[in-house]
Amino acid sequence: MNKQIVIGCDNAAVNLKNDLKAFMEARGYEVENVGCDSKDDPTYYPLIAERVCEKIIESGYTKRGVLICGTGLGMAMCANKFPGIRAGVCHDSFSGERLALSNNGNVICFGERVIGVKLAEKILGEWLELEFVDGSSTPKVEAIKDIEKKTMK
Ligand code: RB5
Protein backbone atom coordinates (compact mmCIF):
# COMPACT_ATOMS: atom_id res chain seq x y z
CA MET A 1 0.00 0.00 0.00
CA ASN A 2 1.36 3.42 -0.97
CA LYS A 3 2.34 5.46 2.09
CA GLN A 4 2.27 8.85 0.33
CA ILE A 5 -0.51 11.03 1.65
CA VAL A 6 -1.57 14.55 0.68
CA ILE A 7 -3.26 16.56 3.43
CA GLY A 8 -5.06 19.89 3.41
CA CYS A 9 -7.45 21.93 5.51
CA ASP A 10 -9.13 25.30 5.68
CA ASN A 11 -8.73 27.75 8.52
CA ALA A 12 -11.40 25.96 10.59
CA ALA A 13 -9.26 22.85 10.89
CA VAL A 14 -5.59 23.79 11.29
CA ASN A 15 -5.29 22.15 14.71
CA LEU A 16 -6.70 18.79 13.60
CA LYS A 17 -4.69 18.91 10.38
CA ASN A 18 -1.44 19.41 12.31
CA ASP A 19 -2.29 16.58 14.67
CA LEU A 20 -3.22 14.11 11.92
CA LYS A 21 -0.11 15.02 9.93
CA ALA A 22 2.09 14.27 12.95
CA PHE A 23 0.10 11.08 13.63
CA MET A 24 0.77 9.78 10.13
CA GLU A 25 4.42 10.80 10.06
CA ALA A 26 5.01 8.96 13.33
CA ARG A 27 3.70 5.84 11.59
CA GLY A 28 6.00 6.11 8.59
CA TYR A 29 3.73 7.87 6.13
CA GLU A 30 5.16 10.49 3.81
CA VAL A 31 2.80 13.43 4.24
CA GLU A 32 2.62 16.35 1.81
CA ASN A 33 0.90 19.37 3.31
CA VAL A 34 -0.81 21.78 0.89
CA GLY A 35 -2.05 24.18 3.59
CA CYS A 36 -3.54 26.13 5.01
CA ASP A 37 -1.26 26.59 7.99
CA SER A 38 -2.80 29.55 9.78
CA LYS A 39 -6.19 30.38 11.20
CA ASP A 40 -5.75 33.75 9.47
CA ASP A 41 -5.42 32.19 6.02
CA PRO A 42 -8.72 32.98 4.26
CA THR A 43 -8.32 30.40 1.48
CA TYR A 44 -11.72 28.83 0.81
CA TYR A 45 -11.98 25.08 1.38
CA PRO A 46 -12.75 24.28 -2.29
CA LEU A 47 -9.33 25.60 -3.30
CA ILE A 48 -7.63 23.38 -0.72
CA ALA A 49 -9.62 20.36 -1.90
CA GLU A 50 -8.52 21.16 -5.45
CA ARG A 51 -4.84 21.19 -4.44
CA VAL A 52 -5.10 17.80 -2.77
CA CYS A 53 -7.09 16.19 -5.58
CA GLU A 54 -4.78 17.49 -8.29
CA LYS A 55 -1.81 15.93 -6.52
CA ILE A 56 -3.61 12.60 -6.27
CA ILE A 57 -4.51 12.74 -9.97
CA GLU A 58 -0.92 13.74 -10.91
CA SER A 59 0.35 10.69 -8.99
CA GLY A 60 -1.78 8.40 -11.15
CA TYR A 61 -4.04 7.81 -8.14
CA THR A 62 -1.28 6.14 -6.14
CA LYS A 63 -1.45 8.82 -3.43
CA ARG A 64 -4.37 9.16 -1.03
CA GLY A 65 -5.75 12.30 0.58
CA VAL A 66 -6.92 13.67 3.90
CA LEU A 67 -9.13 16.78 3.83
CA ILE A 68 -10.33 18.61 6.91
CA CYS A 69 -12.66 21.58 7.34
CA GLY A 70 -15.23 22.56 9.95
CA THR A 71 -17.53 19.63 9.18
CA GLY A 72 -15.72 17.67 6.46
CA LEU A 73 -18.81 18.10 4.28
CA GLY A 74 -17.60 20.88 2.03
CA MET A 75 -14.29 19.15 1.44
CA ALA A 76 -16.02 15.90 0.46
CA MET A 77 -18.40 17.71 -1.89
CA CYS A 78 -15.50 19.42 -3.65
CA ALA A 79 -13.24 16.37 -3.80
CA ASN A 80 -15.97 14.29 -5.41
CA LYS A 81 -16.10 16.76 -8.31
CA PHE A 82 -12.70 15.49 -9.49
CA PRO A 83 -12.43 12.44 -11.74
CA GLY A 84 -11.23 9.32 -9.98
CA ILE A 85 -11.63 10.81 -6.53
CA ARG A 86 -13.92 8.98 -4.11
CA ALA A 87 -14.17 10.95 -0.88
CA GLY A 88 -16.25 10.49 2.23
CA VAL A 89 -16.70 12.06 5.64
CA CYS A 90 -15.90 9.44 8.29
CA HIS A 91 -16.64 10.29 11.89
CA ASP A 92 -17.01 6.69 13.01
CA SER A 93 -14.88 3.61 12.67
CA PHE A 94 -17.35 1.59 10.58
CA SER A 95 -17.63 4.35 7.99
CA GLY A 96 -13.84 4.55 7.72
CA GLU A 97 -13.68 0.80 7.16
CA ARG A 98 -16.40 0.88 4.52
CA LEU A 99 -14.86 3.90 2.76
CA ALA A 100 -11.85 1.67 2.08
CA LEU A 101 -13.48 -1.71 1.56
CA SER A 102 -16.86 -0.87 -0.02
CA ASN A 103 -16.17 2.37 -1.86
CA ASN A 104 -12.43 2.15 -2.62
CA GLY A 105 -12.28 5.68 -1.25
CA ASN A 106 -9.04 7.52 -1.83
CA VAL A 107 -9.82 10.66 0.20
CA ILE A 108 -11.03 10.71 3.81
CA CYS A 109 -12.60 13.85 5.24
CA PHE A 110 -13.00 15.06 8.81
CA GLY A 111 -14.60 18.03 10.53
CA GLU A 112 -12.61 19.63 13.31
CA ARG A 113 -15.83 21.13 14.72
CA VAL A 114 -17.39 17.66 14.89
CA ILE A 115 -14.85 15.06 15.96
CA GLY A 116 -12.22 14.77 18.69
CA VAL A 117 -8.57 14.25 17.90
CA LYS A 118 -8.26 10.74 19.30
CA LEU A 119 -11.28 9.37 17.44
CA ALA A 120 -10.09 10.98 14.20
CA GLU A 121 -6.67 9.37 14.69
CA LYS A 122 -8.25 5.95 15.24
CA ILE A 123 -10.46 6.19 12.15
CA LEU A 124 -7.62 7.53 10.01
CA GLY A 125 -5.16 4.90 11.23
CA GLU A 126 -7.59 2.11 10.38
CA TRP A 127 -8.51 3.53 6.97
CA LEU A 128 -4.87 3.95 5.97
CA GLU A 129 -4.15 0.29 6.59
CA LEU A 130 -7.15 -1.11 4.72
CA GLU A 131 -6.93 -1.96 1.05
CA PHE A 132 -9.82 -2.45 -1.36
CA VAL A 133 -9.92 -5.95 -2.82
CA ASP A 134 -11.84 -6.99 -5.89
CA GLY A 135 -15.12 -8.67 -5.03
CA SER A 136 -18.80 -7.89 -4.73
CA SER A 137 -18.09 -4.15 -4.29
CA THR A 138 -16.10 -3.90 -7.54
CA PRO A 139 -19.04 -3.51 -9.94
CA LYS A 140 -20.53 -0.83 -7.68
CA VAL A 141 -17.32 1.19 -7.77
CA GLU A 142 -17.23 0.65 -11.54
CA ALA A 143 -20.76 2.08 -11.65
CA ILE A 144 -19.43 5.24 -9.97
CA LYS A 145 -16.85 5.47 -12.75
CA ASP A 146 -19.61 5.03 -15.34
CA ILE A 147 -21.42 8.02 -13.85
CA GLU A 148 -18.18 10.03 -14.12
CA LYS A 149 -17.90 9.15 -17.80
CA LYS A 150 -21.40 10.54 -18.34
CA THR A 151 -21.08 13.66 -16.21
CA MET A 152 -17.43 14.70 -16.38
CA LYS A 153 -15.70 16.08 -19.47
C1 RB5 B 1 -15.99 27.37 7.41
O1 RB5 B 1 -15.66 28.02 6.22
C2 RB5 B 1 -16.78 26.11 7.12
O2 RB5 B 1 -17.86 26.40 6.31
C3 RB5 B 1 -15.92 25.06 6.45
O3 RB5 B 1 -14.78 24.81 7.23
C4 RB5 B 1 -16.55 23.72 6.23
O4 RB5 B 1 -17.16 23.25 7.40
C5 RB5 B 1 -17.42 23.57 5.07
O5 RB5 B 1 -17.96 22.51 4.80
Side-chain angles (χ1 to χ4, degrees):
M1 182 76 107
N2 188 301
K3 296 198 92 166
Q4 293 176 299
I5 307 295
V6 190
I7 194 168
C9 70
D10 72 359
N11 59 14
V14 174
N15 290 338
L16 186 56
K17 194 272 296 289
N18 289 340
D19 180 89
L20 295 181
K21 179 173 179 288
F23 174 85
M24 290 189 281
E25 287 171 343
R27 282 154 185 77
Y29 289 89
E30 183 188 317
V31 185
E32 183 177 5
N33 171 30
V34 300
C36 67
D37 293 311
S38 162
K39 292 178 185 180
D40 298 323
D41 183 334
T43 307
Y44 288 168
Y45 62 84
L47 303 176
I48 302 291
E50 182 175 29
R51 290 181 201 166
V52 166
C53 293
E54 284 185 343
K55 288 193 179 288
I56 294 170
I57 292 166
E58 281 165 17
S59 78
Y61 301 96
T62 58
K63 295 180 181 176
R64 287 173 289 166
V66 180
L67 282 168
I68 317 160
C69 60
T71 61
L73 296 170
M75 287 296 199
M77 288 178 193
C78 297
N80 283 314
K81 302 284 184 197
F82 289 83
I85 300 296
R86 290 175 298 280
V89 181
C90 295
H91 287 153
D92 67 277
S93 183
F94 185 69
S95 295
E97 177 192 295
R98 297 333 303 174
L99 177 68
L101 300 182
S102 293
N103 312 119
N104 198 5
N106 48 12
V107 173
I108 192 166
C109 304
F110 297 103
E112 180 176 311
R113 295 172 179 164
V114 181
I115 191 169
V117 172
K118 290 301 171 190
L119 181 55
E121 287 179 350
K122 173 178 162 58
I123 296 164
L124 176 59
E126 292 169 351
W127 175 74
L128 287 169
E129 293 298 312
L130 289 168
E131 189 158 16
F132 182 81
V133 284
D134 273 334
S136 61
S137 292
T138 302
K140 299 168 191 171
V141 175
E142 290 303 314
I144 297 175
K145 296 176 186 173
D146 290 342
I147 290 173
E148 282 184 0
K149 283 180 200 150
K150 285 187 254 179
T151 60
M152 291 182 180
K153 296 288 174 214

